[in-house]
Amino acid sequence: MSERAAPFYCPYCGDEDLRPSEALEGGHGAWECAACNRAFQLKFLGLLARGLQRADNGGDDRI
């Protein structure tokens, strides 16, 4: 089994002082931010049926 990816920044305050959390129910994918004292959970929902297609200008546009 491989290691899971960890978030680099808090989605609320943008700080980088994150620690794994077991406080949330389930515990998997849960993180605590020491800067803003918030806990959050990451969850992969799945792949989109319609992907993204690169536009001529270099941006991403939905198809």
Side-chain angles (χ1 to χ4, degrees):
M1 186 184 287
S2 64
E3 286 292 318
R4 305 242 175 196
F8 293 110
Y9 304 99
C10 172
Y12 298 100
C13 71
D15 200 86
E16 299 177 9
D17 192 4
L18 302 177
R19 297 182 179 105
S21 173
E22 296 296 329
L24 294 178
E25 212 172 296
H28 298 291
W31 294 88
E32 296 175 357
C33 176
C36 68
N37 202 32
R38 288 186 170 110
F40 58 94
Q41 190 168 20
L42 301 177
K43 182 178 178 181
F44 176 72
L45 298 176
L47 298 174
L48 299 174
R50 295 176 16 187
L52 297 176
Q53 183 176 13
R54 190 168 198 86
D56 292 338
N57 62 4
D60 289 331
D61 290 334
R62 293 191 183 271
I63 55 172

